[in-house]
Amino acid sequence: PMVEGVPPMEAAERMRKFKRLYEERQRKWDSYCEGEELFGLPITEYPELEACKKELDLLDKLYSLFVNVVQTIKNYGDMMWTDVVANIEVMTDTATGFQSSCKRMPKALRDWDAYGELKKTIDDFFEVLPILQQCANPSMRRRHWDSIQTVCAKTIPMDDA
């Protein structure tokens, strides 16, 4: 998951795989420690395993948030416009929560490509959010929507409600 150039979604999947492998090794380590303790032997230290645990914890924080942000924004894109209008405040609160979670990430993660992409995804959504809020405003008239459709060269299915 820490390989340069790997897309974050693929890295998140790799991280889950490595986490399962780590948990398997952790169970073995715990079992070995119990055996060493039972026979009065000195407990063997595994610094590589401990370092791996710290890295996996950091990666888990980053990629869990990344996957959550991407899936949430994708779900917003799949919403009907009437649902967007009804949920615009929830969308704003959720995005604000994502932004604060991103800012609270450990400093060690901020140099990683996935962090940059996560921050960019959140920032991009914050650029679109005011537009959505303005379009959800009840003062929007049919002529405004006609202008938007003309500029975008797209037909927006509108509900007269």
Side-chain angles (χ1 to χ4, degrees), residues 8-20:
M9 291 303 277
E10 182 181 334
E13 188 58 41
R14 287 183 183 185
M15 192 268 315
R16 282 191 286 274
K17 175 185 168 192
F18 282 110
K19 196 168 183 179
R20 284 190 301 271

Side-chain angles (χ1 to χ4, degrees), residues 1 28 34 42 50 64-65 72 90 97 101 110 112 117 120 156 160:
K28 287 181 183 179
E34 288 172 5
E50 291 173 12
S64 295
L65 181 60
T72 301
V90 173
S101 294
R110 296 187 184 178
W112 294 1
E117 193 166 330
K120 182 182 180 326
I156 302 171
D160 289 331

Side-chain angles (χ1 to χ4, degrees), residues 89-109:
E89 290 302 318
V90 173
M91 292 168 69
T92 303
D93 293 344
T94 302
T96 303
F98 287 151
Q99 191 174 48
S100 67
S101 294
C102 186
K103 286 179 182 175
R104 285 191 313 248
M105 285 281 173
K107 292 196 186 312
L109 296 176

Side-chain angles (χ1 to χ4, degrees), residues 35-94:
E36 289 172 340
E37 190 176 316
L38 178 67
F39 291 108
L41 299 171
I43 305 296
T44 306
E45 297 293 323
Y46 296 96
E48 297 87 3
L49 200 57
E50 291 173 12
C52 184
K53 169 75 171 147
K54 289 178 185 174
E55 288 177 2
L56 280 173
D57 287 344
L58 285 174
L59 288 170
D60 189 34
K61 285 180 185 179
L62 177 62
Y63 290 123
S64 295
L65 181 60
F66 186 86
V67 168
N68 192 8
V69 166
V70 168
Q71 287 176 343
T72 301
I73 291 175
K74 182 188 177 307
N75 289 342
Y76 289 161
D78 294 340
M79 285 178 137
M80 298 296 287
W81 179 248
T82 54
D83 295 334
V84 170
V85 171
N87 292 311
I88 197 75
E89 290 302 318
V90 173
M91 292 168 69
T92 303
D93 293 344
T94 302

Side-chain angles (χ1 to χ4, degrees), residues 23-40:
E23 288 169 354
E24 183 179 310
R25 284 171 178 77
Q26 178 69 41
R27 282 190 296 276
K28 287 181 183 179
W29 181 21
D30 291 343
S31 176
Y32 296 157
C33 287
E34 288 172 5
E36 289 172 340
E37 190 176 316
L38 178 67
F39 291 108

